[in-house]
Amino acid sequence: MIQENEIMMFLIGLGVLIFVLGSRSKLKRICSSGTLFLAFYLAFGGWAFTVLEGFLWNRLLNFMEHACYAGSSIMLALWAGKSFRNRKGQAQ
């Protein structure tokens, strides 16, 4: 069963995805941007899987959704660590 909040999250994420892809060259100036992009893409994948699981393969897509969220969390933590180390090195 699909819930309205899942569709809204997917649509908001789709808007952000369009912005990220359109502004990728400017966003690459962010420290460790590749890791940050991967974290977002994985989160977006989770949002897409949560909508799709309402239509077909609910167990598989539910697993994929949660795997994407876990991967996104790990990538975001790695990005935060890399950013912190870079800022610490610049201050010295």
XYZ file of all heavy atoms in Angstrom:
730
model
N 0.837 -1.183 0.000
C 0.000 0.000 0.000
C 0.883 1.248 0.000
O 1.817 1.362 0.786
C -0.898 -0.020 1.229
C -1.775 1.177 1.331
S -2.983 0.941 2.621
C -4.072 2.217 2.185
N 0.595 2.165 -0.873
C 1.381 3.391 -0.995
C 0.768 4.472 -0.107
O -0.444 4.638 -0.060
C 1.413 3.866 -2.453
C 2.070 2.801 -3.333
C 2.150 5.176 -2.575
C 2.037 3.132 -4.782
N 1.644 5.190 0.571
C 1.194 6.296 1.413
C 1.568 7.613 0.739
O 2.568 7.696 0.021
C 1.826 6.189 2.789
C 1.400 4.946 3.527
C 2.048 4.826 4.893
O 2.712 5.738 5.356
N 1.855 3.689 5.517
N 0.780 8.647 1.026
C 0.987 9.940 0.387
C 2.349 10.531 0.730
O 2.994 11.143 -0.119
C -0.114 10.931 0.806
C -1.503 10.563 0.328
C -2.214 9.575 1.250
O -1.731 9.307 2.373
O -3.258 9.056 0.824
N 2.788 10.354 1.979
C 4.075 10.930 2.375
C 5.240 10.294 1.613
O 6.244 10.958 1.356
C 4.287 10.828 3.883
C 4.370 9.400 4.372
O 3.787 8.484 3.783
N 5.081 9.199 5.464
N 5.118 9.036 1.233
C 6.170 8.380 0.455
C 6.254 8.981 -0.946
O 7.345 9.212 -1.468
C 5.904 6.878 0.376
C 6.001 6.176 1.710
C 5.565 4.723 1.653
O 4.912 4.311 0.665
O 5.874 3.992 2.614
N 5.112 9.242 -1.538
C 5.094 9.849 -2.874
C 5.636 11.269 -2.806
O 6.426 11.685 -3.667
C 3.674 9.815 -3.464
C 3.269 8.361 -3.717
C 3.591 10.622 -4.751
C 1.836 8.170 -4.135
N 5.244 12.021 -1.788
C 5.739 13.393 -1.645
C 7.254 13.419 -1.447
O 7.942 14.254 -2.037
C 5.044 14.107 -0.480
C 3.606 14.458 -0.774
S 3.359 15.426 -2.267
C 4.287 16.878 -1.901
N 7.781 12.506 -0.640
C 9.230 12.453 -0.422
C 9.949 12.131 -1.726
O 10.992 12.727 -2.035
C 9.556 11.411 0.652
C 10.961 11.459 1.125
S 11.247 13.011 1.983
C 12.940 13.266 1.618
N 9.389 11.216 -2.505
C 9.985 10.885 -3.793
C 9.966 12.094 -4.726
O 10.956 12.385 -5.402
C 9.251 9.704 -4.436
C 9.730 9.399 -5.824
C 10.951 8.772 -6.028
C 8.981 9.756 -6.931
C 11.406 8.504 -7.308
C 9.424 9.495 -8.213
C 10.639 8.862 -8.405
N 8.856 12.810 -4.784
C 8.756 13.975 -5.673
C 9.701 15.098 -5.251
O 10.321 15.742 -6.100
C 7.316 14.479 -5.733
C 6.324 13.544 -6.423
C 4.909 14.092 -6.311
C 6.711 13.304 -7.871
N 9.819 15.327 -3.945
C 10.776 16.332 -3.465
C 12.201 15.902 -3.814
O 13.007 16.697 -4.292
C 10.615 16.555 -1.953
C 9.276 17.238 -1.662
C 11.769 17.370 -1.381
C 8.891 17.243 -0.197
N 12.499 14.619 -3.594
C 13.816 14.084 -3.944
C 14.093 14.183 -5.431
O 15.221 14.456 -5.850
N 13.073 13.998 -6.242
C 13.232 14.116 -7.688
C 13.595 15.551 -8.067
O 14.465 15.777 -8.916
C 11.952 13.680 -8.402
C 11.985 13.620 -9.922
C 13.046 12.637 -10.415
C 10.615 13.226 -10.450
N 12.959 16.510 -7.417
C 13.309 17.911 -7.658
C 14.743 18.214 -7.271
O 15.468 18.904 -7.996
N 15.168 17.678 -6.132
C 16.552 17.877 -5.690
C 17.512 17.180 -6.645
O 18.574 17.720 -6.973
C 16.749 17.390 -4.239
C 18.204 17.455 -3.830
C 15.881 18.200 -3.284
N 17.151 15.992 -7.120
C 17.992 15.272 -8.078
C 18.188 16.087 -9.349
O 19.310 16.186 -9.857
C 17.384 13.908 -8.414
C 18.140 13.072 -9.443
C 19.511 12.668 -8.908
C 17.329 11.856 -9.838
N 17.134 16.681 -9.861
C 17.239 17.514 -11.061
C 18.169 18.696 -10.791
O 19.027 19.036 -11.619
C 15.838 17.973 -11.520
C 15.049 16.778 -12.035
C 15.940 19.064 -12.572
C 13.571 17.035 -12.239
N 18.023 19.315 -9.622
C 18.908 20.426 -9.259
C 20.360 19.966 -9.168
O 21.257 20.627 -9.691
C 18.477 21.033 -7.923
C 19.465 22.017 -7.382
C 19.551 23.299 -7.898
C 20.345 21.654 -6.364
C 20.487 24.206 -7.411
C 21.274 22.544 -5.867
C 21.348 23.830 -6.390
N 20.603 18.832 -8.515
C 21.974 18.323 -8.340
C 22.600 18.019 -9.693
O 23.751 18.392 -9.952
C 21.988 17.077 -7.424
C 23.315 16.348 -7.490
C 21.672 17.477 -5.988
N 21.859 17.360 -10.560
C 22.409 17.027 -11.878
C 22.652 18.284 -12.710
O 23.634 18.357 -13.448
C 21.473 16.066 -12.610
C 21.351 14.675 -11.982
C 20.320 13.842 -12.738
C 22.685 13.967 -11.924
N 21.785 19.279 -12.584
C 21.958 20.522 -13.328
C 23.083 21.398 -12.805
O 23.678 22.166 -13.545
N 23.380 21.286 -11.520
C 24.402 22.133 -10.882
C 25.636 21.348 -10.469
O 26.412 21.799 -9.638
C 23.803 22.800 -9.644
O 22.665 23.529 -9.968
N 25.812 20.180 -11.050
C 26.896 19.284 -10.621
C 28.268 19.948 -10.688
O 29.086 19.778 -9.792
C 26.873 18.018 -11.460
C 27.776 16.938 -10.926
C 27.466 15.617 -11.609
N 28.440 14.613 -11.277
C 28.381 13.828 -10.222
N 27.399 13.957 -9.379
N 29.301 12.935 -9.988
N 28.523 20.706 -11.733
C 29.852 21.321 -11.855
C 30.114 22.321 -10.731
O 31.233 22.402 -10.218
C 30.001 21.999 -13.223
O 29.033 23.020 -13.363
N 29.104 23.070 -10.329
C 29.270 24.018 -9.220
C 29.352 23.291 -7.883
O 30.100 23.707 -6.995
C 28.120 25.010 -9.196
C 28.115 25.948 -10.367
C 26.939 26.888 -10.305
C 26.901 27.764 -11.548
N 25.730 28.643 -11.547
N 28.582 22.213 -7.737
C 28.560 21.478 -6.466
C 29.835 20.671 -6.236
O 30.108 20.268 -5.113
C 27.337 20.559 -6.409
C 25.986 21.265 -6.347
C 24.849 20.249 -6.472
C 25.850 22.063 -5.072
N 30.616 20.442 -7.296
C 31.862 19.685 -7.146
C 32.891 20.420 -6.305
O 33.866 19.833 -5.867
C 32.454 19.331 -8.511
C 31.746 18.182 -9.159
C 32.515 17.691 -10.352
C 31.841 16.437 -10.877
N 32.672 15.739 -11.805
N 32.659 21.708 -6.047
C 33.581 22.471 -5.196
C 33.449 22.079 -3.728
O 34.314 22.396 -2.924
C 33.334 23.966 -5.356
C 33.728 24.464 -6.730
C 33.590 25.946 -6.823
N 32.153 26.268 -6.923
C 31.663 27.479 -6.909
N 32.458 28.515 -6.762
N 30.376 27.684 -7.027
N 32.382 21.392 -3.375
C 32.199 20.928 -2.000
C 33.228 19.841 -1.712
O 33.497 18.983 -2.556
C 30.774 20.370 -1.798
C 29.738 21.460 -2.008
C 30.623 19.738 -0.423
C 28.302 20.974 -2.005
N 33.801 19.894 -0.533
C 34.798 18.907 -0.120
C 34.233 17.489 -0.220
O 33.131 17.218 0.256
C 35.214 19.215 1.323
S 36.324 18.008 2.019
N 34.964 16.589 -0.855
C 34.561 15.184 -1.020
C 33.162 15.075 -1.611
O 32.337 14.289 -1.147
C 34.639 14.434 0.309
O 35.933 14.479 0.837
N 32.904 15.825 -2.644
C 31.562 15.886 -3.222
C 31.090 14.540 -3.772
O 29.901 14.247 -3.726
C 31.500 16.940 -4.314
O 32.392 16.622 -5.365
N 31.996 13.721 -4.257
C 31.599 12.416 -4.789
C 30.937 11.549 -3.736
O 29.938 10.869 -4.012
N 31.477 11.576 -2.529
C 30.893 10.804 -1.431
C 29.523 11.364 -1.064
O 28.578 10.610 -0.808
C 31.830 10.835 -0.208
O 33.132 10.407 -0.602
C 31.325 9.928 0.891
N 29.398 12.682 -1.050
C 28.121 13.320 -0.738
C 27.085 13.015 -1.819
O 25.928 12.721 -1.511
C 28.309 14.826 -0.584
C 27.076 15.618 -0.153
C 26.557 15.144 1.190
C 27.417 17.101 -0.104
N 27.489 13.074 -3.087
C 26.573 12.732 -4.178
C 26.091 11.292 -4.042
O 24.910 11.009 -4.212
C 27.241 12.906 -5.544
C 27.483 14.329 -5.948
C 28.564 14.653 -6.746
C 26.636 15.344 -5.552
C 28.794 15.958 -7.145
C 26.857 16.663 -5.942
C 27.941 16.962 -6.742
N 27.008 10.380 -3.753
C 26.634 8.973 -3.603
C 25.641 8.798 -2.461
O 24.680 8.034 -2.579
C 27.874 8.106 -3.386
C 27.629 6.602 -3.259
C 26.892 6.063 -4.483
C 28.946 5.877 -3.057
N 25.846 9.502 -1.361
C 24.907 9.431 -0.232
C 23.517 9.880 -0.675
O 22.514 9.240 -0.343
C 25.398 10.291 0.929
N 23.441 10.954 -1.451
C 22.136 11.423 -1.926
C 21.523 10.432 -2.905
O 20.329 10.140 -2.836
C 22.237 12.802 -2.574
C 20.940 13.208 -3.213
C 19.858 13.573 -2.426
C 20.783 13.168 -4.585
C 18.640 13.908 -3.009
C 19.584 13.504 -5.171
C 18.507 13.878 -4.387
N 22.317 9.919 -3.844
C 21.779 8.983 -4.834
C 21.225 7.729 -4.150
O 20.195 7.194 -4.560
C 22.839 8.588 -5.859
C 23.347 9.734 -6.700
C 24.656 9.744 -7.174
C 22.545 10.819 -7.028
C 25.133 10.788 -7.954
C 23.018 11.871 -7.799
C 24.314 11.849 -8.259
O 24.783 12.883 -9.019
N 21.917 7.255 -3.124
C 21.419 6.095 -2.389
C 20.121 6.421 -1.648
O 19.192 5.604 -1.631
C 22.482 5.582 -1.415
C 23.643 4.829 -2.056
C 24.762 4.610 -1.042
C 23.174 3.506 -2.625
N 20.048 7.599 -1.041
C 18.810 8.008 -0.367
C 17.667 8.098 -1.384
O 16.552 7.626 -1.123
C 19.003 9.336 0.346
N 17.946 8.671 -2.547
C 16.930 8.775 -3.592
C 16.484 7.380 -4.042
O 15.292 7.149 -4.277
C 17.441 9.587 -4.777
C 16.402 9.772 -5.841
C 15.377 10.684 -5.667
C 16.448 9.022 -7.005
C 14.404 10.845 -6.640
C 15.480 9.177 -7.978
C 14.453 10.094 -7.798
N 17.438 6.461 -4.162
C 17.085 5.080 -4.507
C 16.149 4.476 -3.474
O 15.187 3.788 -3.821
N 16.418 4.739 -2.200
C 15.535 4.249 -1.141
C 14.135 4.821 -1.273
O 13.144 4.109 -1.093
N 14.036 6.117 -1.599
C 12.715 6.739 -1.776
C 11.982 6.124 -2.961
O 10.777 5.916 -2.911
C 12.835 8.245 -1.949
C 13.485 8.927 -0.791
C 13.377 8.571 0.527
C 14.347 10.061 -0.833
N 14.133 9.420 1.297
C 14.732 10.356 0.496
C 14.835 10.865 -1.853
C 15.573 11.404 0.818
C 15.663 11.913 -1.527
C 16.028 12.175 -0.200
N 12.718 5.852 -4.033
C 12.101 5.235 -5.212
C 11.638 3.814 -4.900
O 10.522 3.416 -5.267
C 13.087 5.230 -6.383
N 12.470 3.055 -4.200
C 12.099 1.676 -3.867
C 10.884 1.619 -2.948
O 10.065 0.717 -3.062
C 13.273 0.933 -3.222
C 14.366 0.575 -4.192
C 15.694 0.734 -3.842
C 14.084 0.073 -5.449
C 16.712 0.403 -4.721
C 15.088 -0.257 -6.343
C 16.412 -0.091 -5.986
N 10.766 2.581 -2.041
C 9.617 2.556 -1.132
C 8.308 2.802 -1.872
O 7.270 2.262 -1.503
C 9.792 3.540 0.040
O 8.853 3.224 1.056
C 9.592 4.969 -0.363
N 8.345 3.584 -2.954
C 7.139 3.781 -3.758
C 6.880 2.537 -4.607
O 5.747 2.045 -4.683
C 7.269 5.037 -4.649
C 6.125 5.133 -5.638
C 7.328 6.292 -3.775
N 7.934 2.010 -5.225
C 7.773 0.848 -6.101
C 7.306 -0.397 -5.362
O 6.596 -1.225 -5.937
C 9.083 0.556 -6.831
C 9.491 1.555 -7.894
C 10.878 1.215 -8.435
C 8.477 1.575 -9.021
N 7.692 -0.540 -4.100
C 7.314 -1.751 -3.364
C 5.805 -1.843 -3.159
O 5.286 -2.927 -2.896
C 8.046 -1.836 -2.025
C 7.490 -0.956 -0.944
C 8.259 -1.055 0.356
O 9.495 -0.983 0.334
O 7.597 -1.184 1.386
N 5.098 -0.736 -3.297
C 3.639 -0.767 -3.216
C 2.995 -1.418 -4.429
O 1.830 -1.808 -4.381
N 3.741 -1.538 -5.518
C 3.200 -2.098 -6.750
C 3.648 -3.538 -7.000
O 2.869 -4.339 -7.504
C 3.627 -1.248 -7.956
C 3.064 0.144 -7.935
C 3.890 1.228 -7.689
C 1.721 0.369 -8.160
C 3.389 2.510 -7.671
C 1.199 1.654 -8.139
C 2.036 2.732 -7.893
N 4.905 -3.861 -6.719
C 5.420 -5.186 -7.052
C 6.609 -5.541 -6.168
O 7.235 -4.659 -5.579
C 5.839 -5.248 -8.533
C 6.907 -4.258 -8.983
C 7.922 -4.979 -9.852
C 6.284 -3.137 -9.777
N 6.888 -6.799 -6.078
C 8.051 -7.354 -5.370
C 8.284 -6.670 -4.027
O 9.398 -6.213 -3.729
C 9.316 -7.246 -6.209
C 9.242 -7.862 -7.566
C 8.635 -9.021 -7.909
C 9.814 -7.342 -8.754
N 8.787 -9.248 -9.236
C 9.518 -8.232 -9.783
C 10.549 -6.198 -9.049
C 9.922 -8.032 -11.080
C 10.956 -5.998 -10.337
C 10.652 -6.909 -11.338
N 7.260 -6.630 -3.198
C 7.357 -5.828 -1.975
C 8.480 -6.268 -1.042
O 9.133 -5.423 -0.439
C 6.013 -5.773 -1.246
C 5.497 -7.124 -0.839
O 5.948 -8.145 -1.321
N 4.535 -7.123 0.046
N 8.740 -7.549 -0.900
C 9.809 -7.983 0.014
C 11.189 -7.614 -0.510
O 12.032 -7.114 0.226
C 9.716 -9.489 0.268
C 8.487 -9.846 1.103
C 8.460 -11.288 1.411
N 9.561 -11.560 2.338
C 9.562 -12.559 3.177
N 8.555 -13.395 3.214
N 10.582 -12.763 3.977
N 11.437 -7.851 -1.791
C 12.735 -7.524 -2.388
C 12.975 -6.017 -2.375
O 14.049 -5.550 -1.972
C 12.820 -8.054 -3.822
C 14.069 -7.634 -4.605
C 15.322 -8.236 -3.971
C 13.942 -8.016 -6.059
N 11.983 -5.256 -2.802
C 12.164 -3.812 -2.865
C 12.235 -3.187 -1.473
O 12.909 -2.170 -1.288
C 11.059 -3.177 -3.707
C 11.116 -3.545 -5.199
C 9.956 -2.920 -5.947
C 12.435 -3.147 -5.822
N 11.560 -3.795 -0.489
C 11.690 -3.317 0.885
C 13.119 -3.531 1.380
O 13.703 -2.652 2.028
C 10.695 -4.031 1.795
C 10.679 -3.447 3.182
O 10.573 -2.243 3.354
N 10.796 -4.307 4.176
N 13.699 -4.679 1.050
C 15.099 -4.937 1.412
C 16.022 -3.926 0.725
O 16.916 -3.359 1.362
C 15.504 -6.364 1.029
C 16.968 -6.620 1.215
C 17.485 -6.875 2.471
C 17.838 -6.575 0.133
C 18.841 -7.092 2.660
C 19.197 -6.787 0.303
C 19.697 -7.049 1.571
N 15.789 -3.689 -0.569
C 16.616 -2.738 -1.312
C 16.479 -1.328 -0.737
O 17.467 -0.598 -0.652
C 16.232 -2.746 -2.800
C 16.533 -4.047 -3.510
S 18.292 -4.441 -3.509
C 18.920 -3.103 -4.482
N 15.263 -0.959 -0.349
C 15.036 0.357 0.259
C 15.910 0.536 1.498
O 16.624 1.528 1.634
C 13.564 0.489 0.638
C 13.252 1.697 1.486
C 11.893 1.611 2.169
O 11.135 0.643 1.943
O 11.591 2.537 2.936
N 15.855 -0.447 2.385
C 16.608 -0.325 3.632
C 18.115 -0.456 3.408
O 18.904 0.175 4.118
C 16.087 -1.326 4.661
C 14.732 -0.941 5.151
N 13.589 -1.391 4.547
C 14.337 -0.113 6.150
C 12.539 -0.866 5.174
N 12.964 -0.085 6.142
N 18.525 -1.225 2.414
C 19.950 -1.295 2.073
C 20.434 0.059 1.555
O 21.543 0.498 1.899
C 20.185 -2.392 1.033
N 19.610 0.726 0.757
C 19.974 2.064 0.256
C 20.076 3.060 1.396
O 21.008 3.879 1.435
C 18.955 2.551 -0.766
S 19.136 1.815 -2.390
N 19.134 3.016 2.348
C 19.188 3.932 3.487
C 20.441 3.680 4.334
O 21.082 4.624 4.781
C 17.946 3.794 4.364
C 16.676 4.295 3.728
C 15.450 3.742 4.053
C 16.681 5.325 2.795
C 14.277 4.199 3.494
C 15.509 5.783 2.209
C 14.307 5.214 2.567
O 13.151 5.675 2.001
N 20.782 2.414 4.528
C 21.990 2.088 5.299
C 23.238 2.590 4.566
O 24.122 3.203 5.171
C 22.076 0.584 5.540
N 23.305 2.333 3.261
C 24.441 2.800 2.469
C 24.544 4.306 2.462
O 25.635 4.880 2.563
N 23.401 4.978 2.360
C 23.387 6.438 2.369
C 23.901 6.975 3.699
O 24.675 7.933 3.730
C 21.966 6.944 2.112
O 21.923 8.348 2.177
N 23.489 6.355 4.784
C 23.944 6.788 6.114
C 25.453 6.616 6.264
O 26.135 7.491 6.803
C 23.224 5.996 7.202
O 21.850 6.226 7.152
N 25.964 5.509 5.775
C 27.408 5.254 5.853
C 28.170 6.280 5.011
O 29.172 6.849 5.460
C 27.726 3.813 5.409
C 27.186 2.825 6.457
C 29.225 3.616 5.194
C 27.176 1.386 5.998
N 27.689 6.527 3.792
C 28.362 7.500 2.925
C 28.309 8.906 3.520
O 29.288 9.654 3.453
C 27.728 7.516 1.530
C 27.993 6.280 0.710
S 29.744 6.062 0.354
C 30.098 4.633 1.318
N 27.192 9.265 4.121
C 27.071 10.586 4.741
C 28.023 10.715 5.928
O 28.664 11.754 6.115
C 25.629 10.849 5.172
C 25.303 12.272 5.575
C 25.588 13.245 4.433
C 23.852 12.373 5.989
N 28.153 9.649 6.710
C 29.099 9.669 7.828
C 30.537 9.772 7.328
O 31.346 10.518 7.895
C 28.921 8.415 8.695
N 30.872 9.049 6.260
C 32.214 9.143 5.678
C 32.478 10.546 5.151
O 33.563 11.095 5.337
C 32.382 8.120 4.546
C 32.506 6.668 4.974
C 32.493 5.760 3.741
C 33.765 6.457 5.778
N 31.478 11.136 4.488
C 31.640 12.493 3.979
C 31.868 13.477 5.125
O 32.742 14.341 5.029
C 30.417 12.908 3.174
C 30.459 14.338 2.772
C 31.192 14.887 1.764
C 29.777 15.425 3.400
N 30.997 16.249 1.720
C 30.128 16.599 2.714
C 28.894 15.516 4.473
C 29.622 17.842 3.073
C 28.392 16.754 4.831
C 28.755 17.906 4.129
N 31.112 13.346 6.198
C 31.279 14.243 7.343
C 32.676 14.088 7.943
O 33.337 15.073 8.282
C 30.216 13.962 8.402
N 33.153 12.861 8.045
C 34.503 12.627 8.561
C 35.573 13.231 7.675
O 36.506 13.874 8.156
N 35.432 13.040 6.355
C 36.401 13.614 5.420
C 36.378 15.141 5.481
O 37.420 15.792 5.454
C 36.084 13.171 3.990
C 36.397 11.734 3.697
C 35.998 11.404 2.268
C 36.225 9.956 1.930
N 35.844 9.661 0.536
N 35.185 15.712 5.559
C 35.061 17.170 5.616
C 35.681 17.715 6.892
O 36.359 18.746 6.866
C 33.586 17.582 5.552
O 33.042 17.204 4.323
N 35.468 17.036 8.003
C 36.023 17.483 9.273
C 37.549 17.429 9.237
O 38.224 18.353 9.663
C 35.484 16.637 10.422
C 36.015 17.044 11.757
C 35.607 18.225 12.364
C 36.945 16.250 12.422
C 36.099 18.610 13.590
C 37.437 16.621 13.654
C 37.022 17.804 14.240
N 38.098 16.347 8.703
C 39.559 16.229 8.606
C 40.141 17.291 7.691
O 41.197 17.845 7.979
C 39.955 14.838 8.115
C 40.053 13.842 9.260
C 40.490 12.501 8.789
N 39.234 11.813 8.471
C 39.055 10.964 7.484
N 40.036 10.658 6.693
N 37.905 10.404 7.279
N 39.459 17.585 6.585
C 39.946 18.633 5.674
C 39.938 19.999 6.335
O 40.894 20.748 6.210
C 39.070 18.677 4.413
C 39.736 17.982 3.255
O 40.835 17.475 3.358
N 39.018 17.949 2.156
N 38.897 20.332 7.032
C 38.823 21.635 7.709
C 39.855 21.739 8.804
O 40.448 22.769 9.014
C 37.432 21.862 8.299
C 36.405 22.172 7.254
C 35.107 22.564 7.933
N 34.060 22.726 6.952
C 33.711 23.888 6.423
N 34.325 24.988 6.801
N 32.756 23.968 5.551
N 40.062 20.640 9.501
C 41.063 20.637 10.583
C 42.453 20.860 10.008
O 43.260 21.609 10.560
C 40.992 19.299 11.341
C 41.791 19.277 12.599
C 41.577 17.968 13.337
C 42.381 17.902 14.589
N 42.220 16.632 15.291
N 42.743 20.258 8.861
C 44.042 20.418 8.204
C 44.237 21.812 7.639
O 45.354 22.331 7.607
N 43.173 22.462 7.205
C 43.272 23.809 6.639
C 43.520 24.855 7.727
O 44.125 25.867 7.469
C 42.000 24.157 5.877
C 41.843 23.405 4.582
C 40.517 23.711 3.912
O 39.692 24.442 4.443
N 40.316 23.128 2.740
N 43.027 24.600 8.932
C 43.139 25.584 10.006
C 44.570 25.684 10.532
O 44.953 26.678 11.105
C 42.189 25.239 11.146
N 45.360 24.657 10.334
C 46.727 24.656 10.898
C 47.692 25.433 10.056
O 47.760 25.667 8.995
C 47.230 23.217 11.042
C 46.430 22.473 12.083
C 46.841 21.006 12.154
O 47.591 20.523 11.333
N 46.332 20.333 13.146
